Amino acid sequence: MLGVNNHGQTIVLACAFLSKETTESFVWMFEEFKKAMPGGEPKTIITDQDAAMAIAISIAFPTTFHRLCIWHITSKFSVKLPRDAYNEYWREFQKAIWDTDNKDEFDAKWNIVVTKAGLTDHPWLSSMFDLRESWVPAYARQFFAAGMSSSQIAEGSHGFFKQYISRRNSLMDFIIRFERALSHQREKELVADHVDAFEVAQCLLPMPMNKQMATLYTRTMFQKFEQELIESTACFLELKTEDACKVVFNVSERKNWETRVAEVVYVKDSDHASCSCQRFEFVGIICKHILALFRRDQIEYMPKKYILKRWKKTAKCGLVSDANGKEIKDCADPGLLIKRSTMSRLASDVVGDALMSEEGCEVLSETLKSLQVKLKLLKDGPSNNEVGGSSSQTQYMKDPKRVRCKERSKGVTGAKEKAMKRGIRHCRECGHIGHDRRQCPALNTP
């Protein structure tokens, strides 16, 4: 199970060995996850369309919003739809999915495109429309998900861990290498913490609110906020309605030669502003439309209610307790920050001394190359035969039985993926497989 930290970096929350990908196995895994992280149920879980996992999530996390990966669904349009319909109407489907801010607007655009394409009775499109509350942004944006709408971070994480482990590793070898990969991942987080602790991000706009958020947010999150603040300067407000309870504004912006309009509602009693784009609810960072309202009302500093601790530099400050009330200490070594700072100063002094002469530069260059080779050997660690042992005298734990994962089953490979693997291309003239336009029988027929 993966998530993101306050720097927006992908982190591992938990992992488990499963012999079967059944509902019972997933329920067990989620229950163990709750024991390890007793801070409450997650707000959102993003998965593919696995039926067993969907049932398990409803059992183990009844209050968690289960979102389907939008990338897995949109990538199937080219396979499920007829070729001509896909080529002609795919862009309109994209606009209906991504460029709608409310549910009614999406339903209307979807039905228009489906009717124009003559696919009103298409079974797969009908099933996706019935599941729209689980994957369409206009329906799912109201739930916090740190800005994620797909499980593609898992694909990137797979590539990261493949640098350290393989299916040929024994169980003990796998554990050692997996821990090494986690330590490198945590080191990147500590480096980001170190940068935020001793450096303040440069502000592109000399505004009090921008400077305020530069001191509170981590650098990555501040850059996202600052981008919203910059884009808010191109937004225009127009009063729509006003009564004793609330004020409604239309906020328009010109983007890609199109005018987009969002609706901002300000409730007077609670002194709270919300936007139809729901970026604050979905990402946790205030949107440009509300920032435009703040600029109109001359609000110089961000109210505390719009600053999530989730994205602050101090997000990890405080005690974390388990189910028994005992403190859970961070397994990351805070001494790495001190070591990094000390070695950085030492390296800077050495480079400064070496630059005084050509001979010094050559000596330092040769020494660093030799040191780099030694460090690489330490990073790679011992071979498979050395770790975990292979003889009966040192091997006390047997390796688990290898089973095939659902996601890697050959049966789920679509026609598009098969064609890409074989290098087969469709004919642009007739649409058939096995020949190109130059060899098309339709063109060569007298």
Side-chain angles (χ1 to χ4, degrees), residues 101 182 192 296 388:
D101 290 334
L182 287 181
R296 170 188 175 274

Side-chain angles (χ1 to χ4, degrees), residues 169-187:
N169 299 141
S170 64
L171 178 60
M172 295 303 299
D173 193 10
F174 170 84
I175 293 174
I176 294 173
R177 291 176 178 273
F178 189 78
E179 285 290 341
R180 186 181 296 130
L182 287 181
S183 65
H184 290 169
Q185 189 181 79
R186 292 172 184 140
E187 183 180 357

Side-chain angles (χ1 to χ4, degrees), residues 413-426:
T413 304
K416 182 179 179 182
E417 290 80 0
K418 290 180 179 179
M420 291 176 64
K421 287 183 179 180
R422 298 172 185 170
I424 299 175
R425 300 177 61 184
H426 290 269

Side-chain angles (χ1 to χ4, degrees), residues 118-351:
L119 300 172
T120 52
D121 297 328
H122 195 280
W124 184 79
L125 282 179
S126 300
S127 65
M128 290 301 100
F129 184 75
D130 294 338
L131 294 173
R132 62 190 181 280
E133 294 184 359
S134 301
W135 66 276
V136 175
Y139 281 86
R141 218 183 265 125
Q142 58 182 309
F143 300 98
F144 179 78
M148 295 182 294
S149 58
S150 69
S151 58
Q152 281 187 293
I153 63 168
E155 304 298 330
S157 182
H158 293 163
F160 169 76
F161 282 105
K162 282 181 180 178
Q163 302 175 20
Y164 299 89
I165 58 178
S166 70
R167 61 182 303 170
R168 294 187 299 272
N169 299 141
S170 64
L171 178 60
M172 295 303 299
D173 193 10
F174 170 84
I175 293 174
I176 294 173
R177 291 176 178 273
F178 189 78
E179 285 290 341
R180 186 181 296 130
L182 287 181
S183 65
H184 290 169
Q185 189 181 79
R186 292 172 184 140
E187 183 180 357
K188 293 181 180 179
E189 183 175 355
L190 287 173
V191 170
D193 289 338
H194 177 78
V195 171
D196 285 333
F198 295 97
E199 299 179 15
V200 179
Q202 296 294 324
C203 298
L204 299 179
L205 296 179
M207 300 170 62
M209 184 180 294
N210 205 30
K211 295 179 181 179
Q212 173 197 11
M213 303 313 294
T215 60
L216 295 177
Y217 277 163
T218 61
R219 175 162 298 195
T220 304
M221 294 303 122
F222 168 71
Q223 290 173 350
K224 292 184 178 182
F225 166 79
E226 189 176 45
Q227 184 62 34
E228 293 292 320
L229 188 61
I230 293 174
E231 293 181 6
S232 71
T233 59
C235 295
F236 301 93
L237 275 79
E238 180 184 359
L239 180 62
K240 184 178 180 181
T241 59
E242 182 177 4
D243 54 32
C245 300
K246 62 182 181 180
V247 186
V248 181
F249 296 92
N250 281 339
V251 183
S252 60
E253 62 169 330
R254 188 77 173 172
K255 192 172 184 180
N256 295 332
W257 306 102
E258 293 183 1
T259 301
R260 299 288 303 275
V261 180
E263 187 177 271
V264 175
V265 179
Y266 172 72
V267 181
K268 298 179 180 179
D269 293 338
S270 59
D271 189 25
H272 183 77
S274 60
C275 182
S276 60
C277 74
Q278 295 182 318
R279 179 174 177 81
F280 180 68
E281 292 80 3
F282 178 53
V283 183
I285 295 178
I286 206 74
C287 68
K288 52 192 169 186
H289 311 112
I290 298 179
L291 289 173
L293 176 63
F294 288 171
R295 191 180 70 254
R296 170 188 175 274
D297 295 340
Q298 298 182 354
I299 299 177
E300 294 187 345
Y301 294 94
M302 180 69 69
K304 292 184 178 180
K305 66 174 72 176
Y306 301 109
I307 304 175
L308 263 65
K309 183 182 178 182
R310 177 74 168 77
W311 303 129
K312 293 173 68 175
K313 298 177 182 179
T314 57
K316 292 182 287 187
C317 294
L319 297 178
V320 179
S321 303
D322 59 13
N324 299 323
K326 295 182 179 180
E327 180 184 356
I328 301 176
K329 295 184 179 181
D330 192 354
C331 57
D333 184 10
L336 286 175
L337 294 177
I338 301 176
K339 295 177 183 178
R340 177 182 176 82
S341 180
T342 303
M343 288 188 291
S344 297
R345 287 195 298 267
L346 177 61
S348 179
D349 294 339
V350 171
V351 171

